Amino acid sequence: VRERFEHDEAWCGPCERAFVDETALAQHWRAKHEYYDRYPLPYCEECDRWFEHGNSAQQHEKTHRSRDKVCPMCEQRSYGSVADVALHIESGFCSACRGKSNARQVVYDFMQGHRETRAFLKPAICDWASDGSEEEVPEYPYRCDACQRDFKT
């Protein structure tokens, strides 16, 4: 049955069901699928898979990305985005900077030590400890230039 109807105009892929016409299909969408206004539902051609929500499809797309981003601390190459690398480090699971508090210090020191990333830090009275030791990470060290809100990570 699927081969016969799935290429017809009135086919609901997620339900694998055929309808007599577009009107019947539209009624079905409104009744059965939460995001009927996004008709048709998001679909992954690589996996031949339908998704009920756009966010689910976006999250799924990440599984098809190349995982070529490298952690600058442990040099492990298995991350799909820079955000994934940051999560790896900040979670405390990076082998080069074990532990959340240590990882937090390493990230802060990295941000403070590079001109390109220093702009993301909240302005401080001084950028270094007077005795030459590492400065302790403030509770909310990062600031968004757009909204001026401060963030922990």
Side-chain angles (χ1 to χ4, degrees):
V1 173
R2 180 177 181 178
E3 289 80 21
R4 181 175 173 204
F5 290 107
E6 76 178 323
H7 298 291
D8 290 350
E9 292 292 316
W11 174 258
C12 177
C15 297
E16 296 189 353
R17 191 171 159 202
F19 293 87
V20 291
D21 58 22
E22 282 291 318
T23 303
L25 176 61
Q27 289 172 344
H28 163 77
W29 276 78
R30 284 186 201 94
K32 299 292 181 184
H33 302 293
E34 185 178 340
Y35 289 96
Y36 66 86
D37 58 326
R38 295 177 94 159
Y39 168 78
L41 289 176
Y43 175 72
C44 175
E45 289 185 19
E46 278 187 67
C47 299
D48 187 30
R49 186 172 166 196
W50 294 87
F51 296 88
E52 190 74 25
H53 307 284
N55 186 51
S56 300
Q58 288 176 337
Q59 294 300 317
H60 170 76
E61 280 179 19
K62 293 178 182 179
T63 65
H64 297 299
R65 285 188 198 158
S66 62
R67 301 178 70 75
D68 59 350
K69 305 299 182 278
V70 180
C71 172
M73 306 301 177
C74 68
E75 299 182 2
Q76 182 178 348
R77 178 186 302 270
S78 63
Y79 302 98
S81 70
V82 175
D84 292 341
V85 173
L87 287 172
H88 158 74
I89 295 169
E90 290 176 350
S91 68
F93 290 110
C94 177
S95 61
C97 48
R98 284 268 184 231
K100 275 188 171 185
S101 62
N102 186 44
R104 191 175 158 147
Q105 184 70 51
V106 168
V107 170
Y108 183 76
D109 292 344
F110 176 88
M111 298 286 285
Q112 200 174 38
H114 293 82
R115 188 171 33 99
E116 303 84 14
T117 57
R118 208 172 293 134
F120 296 104
L121 294 175
K122 186 168 84 174
I125 293 173
C126 67
D127 290 330
W128 59 90
S130 59
D131 63 359
S133 63
E134 290 182 337
E135 179 184 350
E136 188 174 316
V137 181
E139 186 175 2
Y140 291 89
Y142 308 108
R143 176 166 290 161
C144 172
D145 284 340
C147 69
Q148 295 302 308
R149 287 179 52 206
D150 297 335
F151 296 88
K152 285 187 176 186
T153 59

